[in-house]
Coordinates of all heavy atoms in Angstrom, one line a residue:
Q102 N -85.3 0.3 14.2 CA -85.7 -0.8 13.2 C -85.1 -0.5 11.9 O -85.2 0.5 11.4 CB -87.2 -0.8 13.1 CG -87.7 -2.1 12.4 CD -89.1 -2.0 11.9 OE1 -89.5 -1.1 11.2 NE2 -89.9 -3.0 12.3
A103 N -84.4 -1.5 11.4 CA -83.7 -1.4 10.1 C -84.8 -1.5 9.1 O -85.7 -2.3 9.1 CB -82.7 -2.5 9.9
L104 N -84.8 -0.5 8.1 CA -85.9 -0.4 7.2 C -85.8 -1.6 6.1 O -86.8 -1.9 5.5 CB -85.8 0.9 6.4 CG -86.7 2.0 7.1 CD1 -86.5 3.3 6.4 CD2 -88.1 1.6 7.1
R106 N -85.0 -4.9 6.7 CA -85.3 -6.2 7.2 C -86.8 -6.4 7.6 O -87.3 -5.5 8.3 CB -84.4 -6.6 8.5 CG -83.0 -7.0 8.1 CD -82.3 -7.7 9.2 NE -83.1 -9.0 9.5 CZ -83.5 -9.3 10.7 NH1 -83.3 -8.5 11.7 NH2 -84.1 -10.5 10.9
L107 N -87.4 -7.4 7.1 CA -88.8 -7.6 7.4 C -88.9 -8.4 8.8 O -88.7 -9.6 8.8 CB -89.5 -8.4 6.3 CG -90.9 -8.7 6.5 CD1 -91.7 -7.4 6.7 CD2 -91.5 -9.5 5.4
T108 N -89.3 -7.6 9.8 CA -89.4 -8.3 11.1 C -90.7 -7.9 11.7 O -91.4 -7.0 11.3 CB -88.2 -7.7 12.1 OG1 -88.3 -6.3 12.0 CG2 -86.9 -8.2 11.7
S109 N -91.1 -8.6 12.8 CA -92.3 -8.3 13.4 C -92.0 -7.5 14.7 O -90.8 -7.5 15.1 CB -93.0 -9.6 13.9 OG -92.2 -10.2 14.9
F110 N -93.0 -6.9 15.3 CA -92.8 -6.1 16.5 C -92.2 -7.0 17.6 O -91.2 -6.6 18.3 CB -94.2 -5.6 16.9 CG -94.1 -4.7 18.1 CD1 -93.9 -3.4 18.0 CD2 -94.3 -5.2 19.4 CE1 -93.8 -2.5 19.1 CE2 -94.2 -4.4 20.5 CZ -93.9 -3.0 20.3
T111 N -92.7 -8.2 17.7 CA -92.2 -9.1 18.7 C -90.7 -9.4 18.5 O -90.0 -9.3 19.5 CB -93.0 -10.4 18.7 OG1 -94.4 -10.1 18.8 CG2 -92.6 -11.4 19.8
E112 N -90.3 -9.7 17.3 CA -88.8 -9.9 17.1 C -88.0 -8.6 17.4 O -87.0 -8.8 18.0 CB -88.6 -10.3 15.6 CG -89.2 -11.7 15.2 CD -89.1 -11.9 13.7 OE1 -89.9 -11.1 13.0 OE2 -88.4 -12.7 13.2
D113 N -88.5 -7.5 16.9 CA -87.8 -6.2 17.1 C -87.5 -6.0 18.6 O -86.4 -5.6 19.0 CB -88.6 -5.0 16.7 CG -88.6 -4.9 15.2 OD1 -87.7 -5.5 14.5 OD2 -89.4 -4.1 14.6
M114 N -88.6 -6.2 19.5 CA -88.4 -6.0 20.9 C -87.5 -7.0 21.6 O -86.6 -6.6 22.4 CB -89.8 -5.9 21.6 CG -90.7 -4.9 21.1 SD -89.9 -3.2 21.1 CE -90.4 -2.6 19.5
P121 N -91.9 -7.8 24.7 CA -93.0 -7.3 23.9 C -94.4 -7.6 24.5 O -94.5 -8.7 25.1 CB -92.8 -8.0 22.6 CG -92.1 -9.2 22.9 CD -91.3 -9.0 24.2
G122 N -95.3 -6.8 24.3 CA -96.7 -7.0 24.8 C -97.7 -6.5 23.8 O -97.4 -5.7 23.0
A123 N -98.9 -6.8 24.1 CA -100.1 -6.3 23.2 C -101.3 -6.2 24.1 O -101.6 -7.1 24.9 CB -100.3 -7.2 22.0
W125 N -105.2 -5.8 23.5 CA -106.2 -5.9 22.5 C -107.2 -4.8 22.5 O -107.8 -4.5 23.6 CB -107.0 -7.2 22.5 CG -106.1 -8.3 22.0 CD1 -105.3 -9.1 22.8 CD2 -106.0 -8.8 20.7 NE1 -104.7 -10.1 22.0 CE2 -105.1 -9.9 20.6 CE3 -106.5 -8.4 19.5 CZ2 -104.7 -10.5 19.5 CZ3 -106.2 -9.0 18.3 CH2 -105.3 -10.1 18.3
L152 N -107.4 -6.8 13.5 CA -106.8 -6.8 14.8 C -106.4 -5.4 15.1 O -105.6 -4.8 14.3 CB -105.6 -7.7 15.0 CG -105.4 -8.9 14.1 CD1 -103.9 -9.3 14.2 CD2 -106.3 -10.0 14.5
R154 N -104.4 -3.4 18.0 CA -103.7 -3.7 19.2 C -102.8 -2.5 19.6 O -102.2 -1.8 18.8 CB -102.7 -4.9 19.1 CG -103.5 -6.2 18.9 CD -102.6 -7.4 18.6 NE -101.8 -7.2 17.4 CZ -100.8 -7.9 17.0 NH1 -100.3 -8.8 17.8 NH2 -100.1 -7.7 15.9
R156 N -99.4 -1.8 21.1 CA -98.2 -2.6 21.3 C -97.3 -2.0 22.4 O -97.1 -0.8 22.4 CB -97.3 -2.7 20.0 CG -98.1 -3.2 18.8 CD -98.8 -4.5 19.0 NE -97.9 -5.6 19.4 CZ -97.5 -6.6 18.6 NH1 -97.8 -6.6 17.3 NH2 -96.7 -7.5 19.1
A164 N -96.8 1.7 20.2 CA -97.4 1.9 18.9 C -98.9 1.4 19.0 O -99.2 0.5 19.7 CB -96.7 1.2 17.8
E166 N -101.5 -0.4 16.5 CA -101.5 -1.1 15.2 C -102.8 -1.6 14.8 O -103.5 -2.2 15.6 CB -100.6 -2.3 15.3 CG -99.1 -2.0 15.0 CD -98.3 -3.3 15.1 OE1 -98.9 -4.4 15.4 OE2 -97.1 -3.2 14.8
Y167 N -103.2 -1.4 13.5 CA -104.4 -1.9 13.0 C -104.1 -2.8 11.8 O -103.8 -2.3 10.7 CB -105.3 -0.7 12.7 CG -106.7 -1.0 12.2 CD1 -107.4 -2.0 12.9 CD2 -107.3 -0.4 11.2 CE1 -108.7 -2.4 12.4 CE2 -108.6 -0.7 10.8 CZ -109.2 -1.7 11.4 OH -110.5 -2.0 11.0
A168 N -104.2 -4.1 12.0 CA -103.9 -5.0 11.0 C -105.1 -5.7 10.3 O -106.1 -6.0 11.0 CB -103.0 -6.1 11.5
V169 N -105.1 -5.8 9.0 CA -106.1 -6.5 8.3 C -105.5 -7.6 7.5 O -104.6 -7.3 6.7 CB -106.9 -5.4 7.4 CG1 -108.1 -6.1 6.8 CG2 -107.3 -4.2 8.2
I170 N -106.1 -8.8 7.6 CA -105.5 -10.0 7.0 C -106.7 -10.7 6.3 O -107.8 -10.8 6.8 CB -105.0 -11.0 8.1 CG1 -104.2 -10.3 9.2 CG2 -104.3 -12.2 7.4 CD1 -102.8 -9.8 8.7
V181 N -104.3 -15.4 17.1 CA -103.2 -14.7 17.4 C -103.0 -14.6 19.0 O -103.9 -14.2 19.6 CB -103.2 -13.2 16.9 CG1 -102.0 -12.4 17.3 CG2 -103.4 -13.3 15.4
D182 N -101.9 -15.1 19.4 CA -101.7 -15.0 20.9 C -100.9 -13.7 21.1 O -101.4 -12.7 21.3 CB -100.9 -16.3 21.3 CG -100.6 -16.2 22.8 OD1 -101.1 -15.4 23.5 OD2 -99.6 -17.0 23.2
K183 N -99.5 -13.9 21.0 CA -98.7 -12.6 21.2 C -98.4 -12.0 19.9 O -98.3 -10.8 19.7 CB -97.5 -12.9 22.0 CG -97.8 -13.2 23.4 CD -96.7 -13.1 24.3 CE -97.1 -13.0 25.8 NZ -96.6 -14.2 26.5
S184 N -98.0 -12.9 18.9 CA -97.5 -12.4 17.6 C -98.3 -12.8 16.4 O -98.6 -13.9 16.2 CB -96.1 -12.9 17.5 OG -95.7 -12.9 16.1
L185 N -98.7 -11.8 15.6 CA -99.4 -12.1 14.4 C -98.6 -12.9 13.4 O -99.1 -13.8 12.8 CB -99.8 -10.7 13.7 CG -100.3 -10.7 12.3 CD1 -101.7 -11.5 12.3 CD2 -100.5 -9.3 11.8
Y186 N -97.3 -12.5 13.3 CA -96.5 -13.3 12.4 C -96.3 -14.7 12.8 O -96.2 -15.6 11.9 CB -95.1 -12.6 12.2 CG -95.2 -11.3 11.3 CD1 -96.4 -10.8 10.9 CD2 -94.0 -10.8 10.8 CE1 -96.4 -9.7 10.1 CE2 -94.0 -9.6 10.0 CZ -95.3 -9.1 9.6 OH -95.4 -8.0 8.8
D187 N -96.3 -15.0 14.1 CA -96.2 -16.4 14.6 C -97.5 -17.1 14.2 O -97.4 -18.3 13.8 CB -96.0 -16.5 16.1 CG -94.6 -16.1 16.5 OD1 -93.7 -15.9 15.6 OD2 -94.3 -16.0 17.7
A188 N -98.6 -16.4 14.3 CA -99.9 -17.1 13.9 C -99.9 -17.3 12.4 O -100.3 -18.5 12.0 CB -101.1 -16.2 14.4
L189 N -99.4 -16.4 11.7 CA -99.4 -16.6 10.2 C -98.5 -17.8 9.8 O -98.7 -18.6 8.9 CB -99.1 -15.3 9.5 CG -100.1 -14.3 9.5 CD1 -99.5 -12.9 9.0 CD2 -101.4 -14.6 8.7
K195 N -96.5 -16.7 6.6 CA -95.7 -15.6 7.1 C -95.2 -14.8 5.9 O -94.7 -15.3 5.0 CB -94.5 -16.1 8.0 CG -93.9 -15.0 8.7 CD -92.9 -15.6 9.8 CE -92.1 -14.4 10.3 NZ -91.0 -14.8 11.1
P196 N -95.4 -13.4 6.0 CA -94.9 -12.6 4.9 C -93.4 -12.8 4.6 O -92.6 -12.9 5.5 CB -95.2 -11.2 5.3 CG -95.9 -11.3 6.6 CD -95.9 -12.6 7.1
A199 N -92.3 -6.9 2.0 CA -93.3 -5.9 2.4 C -92.9 -4.6 1.7 O -91.8 -4.3 1.4 CB -93.3 -5.8 3.9
L200 N -93.9 -3.8 1.5 CA -93.8 -2.4 1.2 C -94.2 -1.6 2.3 O -95.2 -1.8 2.9 CB -94.6 -2.1 -0.1 CG -94.2 -2.6 -1.4 CD1 -95.3 -2.3 -2.5 CD2 -92.9 -2.0 -1.8
Q201 N -93.5 -0.6 2.6 CA -93.8 0.3 3.8 C -93.8 1.7 3.4 O -92.9 2.2 2.7 CB -92.8 0.0 4.9 CG -93.4 0.1 6.3 CD -92.5 -0.6 7.3 OE1 -92.7 -1.8 7.6 NE2 -91.5 0.1 7.8
R202 N -94.8 2.4 3.9 CA -94.8 3.9 3.7 C -94.9 4.6 5.0 O -95.6 4.2 5.9 CB -96.1 4.1 2.9 CG -96.4 5.6 2.6 CD -97.3 5.7 1.4 NE -98.7 5.6 1.8 CZ -99.7 5.8 1.0 NH1 -99.5 6.0 -0.3 NH2 -100.9 5.8 1.4
L203 N -94.0 5.6 5.2 CA -94.0 6.3 6.5 C -94.3 7.8 6.2 O -93.8 8.3 5.3 CB -92.5 6.3 7.0 CG -91.9 5.1 7.6 CD1 -91.4 4.2 6.6 CD2 -90.8 5.4 8.6
L225 N -95.2 8.7 14.1 CA -94.8 8.2 12.8 C -95.9 7.3 12.4 O -96.3 6.3 13.0 CB -93.5 7.3 13.0 CG -92.2 7.9 12.7 CD1 -91.1 6.9 13.0 CD2 -92.1 8.4 11.3
Y226 N -96.5 7.7 11.3 CA -97.6 6.9 10.7 C -96.9 5.9 9.7 O -96.2 6.4 8.8 CB -98.7 7.7 10.0 CG -99.7 6.9 9.3 CD1 -100.6 6.2 9.9 CD2 -99.6 6.8 7.9 CE1 -101.6 5.5 9.2 CE2 -100.5 6.1 7.2 CZ -101.5 5.4 7.9 OH -102.4 4.6 7.2
I227 N -97.2 4.6 9.8 CA -96.6 3.6 8.9 C -97.6 2.7 8.4 O -98.4 2.2 9.1 CB -95.5 2.8 9.7 CG1 -94.5 3.7 10.4 CG2 -94.8 1.9 8.7 CD1 -93.5 3.0 11.2
E228 N -97.6 2.5 7.1 CA -98.5 1.6 6.5 C -97.6 0.4 5.9 O -96.6 0.7 5.2 CB -99.1 2.3 5.3 CG -100.6 2.4 5.4 CD -101.1 3.2 4.2 OE1 -100.8 2.8 3.0 OE2 -101.7 4.2 4.4
R229 N -98.0 -0.8 6.2 CA -97.2 -1.9 5.7 C -98.2 -2.9 4.9 O -99.1 -3.2 5.4 CB -96.5 -2.7 6.8 CG -95.6 -3.9 6.3 CD -95.0 -4.7 7.4 NE -93.9 -4.0 8.0 CZ -93.1 -4.7 8.8 NH1 -93.3 -6.0 9.1 NH2 -92.1 -4.0 9.4
R230 N -97.8 -3.2 3.7 CA -98.4 -4.2 2.9 C -97.4 -5.3 2.7 O -96.3 -5.1 2.2 CB -98.8 -3.7 1.5 CG -100.0 -2.7 1.5 CD -100.3 -2.2 0.1 NE -100.8 -3.3 -0.8 CZ -100.6 -3.3 -2.1 NH1 -99.8 -2.4 -2.7 NH2 -101.0 -4.3 -2.8
S231 N -97.8 -6.5 3.2 CA -96.8 -7.6 3.1 C -97.3 -8.7 2.1 O -98.6 -8.8 2.0 CB -96.5 -8.3 4.4 OG -96.7 -7.4 5.4
E240 N -101.0 -9.0 4.3 CA -101.3 -8.1 5.4 C -101.4 -6.7 5.0 O -100.6 -6.2 4.1 CB -100.0 -8.2 6.4 CG -99.9 -7.1 7.4 CD -98.6 -7.1 8.1 OE1 -97.6 -7.6 7.7 OE2 -98.6 -6.4 9.2
F241 N -102.3 -5.9 5.6 CA -102.3 -4.5 5.4 C -102.5 -3.9 6.8 O -103.5 -4.0 7.5 CB -103.6 -4.1 4.5 CG -103.8 -2.6 4.4 CD1 -102.8 -1.8 4.1 CD2 -105.1 -2.1 4.5 CE1 -103.0 -0.4 3.9 CE2 -105.3 -0.7 4.4 CZ -104.3 0.1 4.1
T242 N -101.3 -3.3 7.3 CA -101.3 -2.8 8.7 C -101.0 -1.3 8.7 O -100.1 -0.8 8.0 CB -100.3 -3.6 9.5 OG1 -100.7 -4.9 9.5 CG2 -100.2 -3.0 10.9
R243 N -101.9 -0.5 9.4 CA -101.6 0.9 9.6 C -101.2 1.0 11.1 O -101.9 0.6 12.0 CB -102.9 1.7 9.3 CG -103.1 1.7 7.8 CD -104.6 2.0 7.5 NE -105.4 0.8 7.5 CZ -106.7 0.7 7.3 NH1 -107.3 1.8 6.9 NH2 -107.3 -0.4 7.4
S244 N -100.1 1.7 11.3 CA -99.6 1.9 12.7 C -99.2 3.3 12.9 O -98.8 4.0 12.1 CB -98.3 1.1 12.9 OG -98.3 -0.1 12.2
Y245 N -99.4 3.6 14.2 CA -98.9 4.9 14.7 C -97.9 4.7 15.8 O -98.2 4.1 16.8 CB -100.1 5.7 15.4 CG -101.0 6.2 14.4 CD1 -102.1 5.5 14.0 CD2 -100.9 7.5 13.8 CE1 -103.0 5.9 13.0 CE2 -101.8 7.9 12.8 CZ -102.8 7.2 12.4 OH -103.7 7.6 11.5
Y246 N -96.6 5.0 15.5 CA -95.6 4.8 16.5 C -95.3 6.1 17.2 O -95.4 7.1 16.6 CB -94.3 4.3 15.7 CG -94.3 2.9 15.4 CD1 -94.9 2.4 14.3 CD2 -93.6 2.0 16.2 CE1 -95.0 1.0 14.1 CE2 -93.6 0.6 16.0 CZ -94.3 0.2 14.9 OH -94.3 -1.2 14.6
Y251 N -89.1 5.7 18.6 CA -88.8 4.8 17.5 C -87.9 5.5 16.5 O -88.1 6.6 16.1 CB -90.1 4.4 16.7 CG -90.2 2.9 16.7 CD1 -90.6 2.2 17.8 CD2 -89.9 2.2 15.5 CE1 -90.8 0.8 17.7 CE2 -90.0 0.8 15.5 CZ -90.4 0.2 16.5 OH -90.6 -1.2 16.5
F253 N -86.1 4.7 12.7 CA -86.0 3.8 11.5 C -84.7 4.1 10.8 O -84.4 5.2 10.5 CB -87.2 4.0 10.6 CG -88.4 3.3 11.1 CD1 -89.2 4.0 12.1 CD2 -88.7 2.0 10.8 CE1 -90.3 3.4 12.6 CE2 -89.9 1.4 11.3 CZ -90.7 2.1 12.2
Ligands
LIG304 C1 -94.6 -4.7 12.9 C2 -95.2 -4.3 11.6 C3 -96.6 -4.8 11.4 C4 -96.8 -6.2 11.7 C5 -96.3 -6.5 13.2 C6 -96.3 -8.0 13.5 C7 -94.0 -2.2 11.3 C8 -94.1 -0.8 11.0 N1 -95.1 -2.9 11.4 O1 -95.1 -4.0 14.0 O2 -97.0 -4.5 10.1 O3 -98.1 -6.6 11.7 O4 -94.9 -6.1 13.2 O5 -95.9 -8.1 14.8 O6 -92.9 -2.6 11.6 P1 -96.2 -9.3 15.7 O7 -95.9 -10.6 15.0 O8 -95.4 -9.1 16.9 O9 -97.7 -9.3 16.0

Side-chain angles (χ1 to χ4, degrees):
Q102 189 193 55
L104 271 175
R106 280 200 64 234
L107 179 58
T108 50
S109 70
F110 183 88
T111 303
E112 289 169 296
D113 282 347
M114 297 309 134
W125 285 93
L152 335 165
R154 294 175 296 166
R156 307 306 304 257
E166 272 185 359
Y167 185 40
V169 186
I170 315 288
V181 180
D182 175 20
K183 288 200 169 114
S184 160
L185 168 63
Y186 281 11
D187 284 354
L189 289 169
K195 193 170 168 188
L200 284 174
Q201 211 160 266
R202 175 155 91 174
L203 286 82
L225 263 177
Y226 172 75
I227 307 175
E228 242 176 56
R229 182 184 283 192
R230 286 177 68 210
S231 333
E240 165 193 20
F241 175 45
T242 297
R243 285 157 284 181
S244 323
Y245 290 88
Y246 279 80
Y251 236 79
F253 283 84

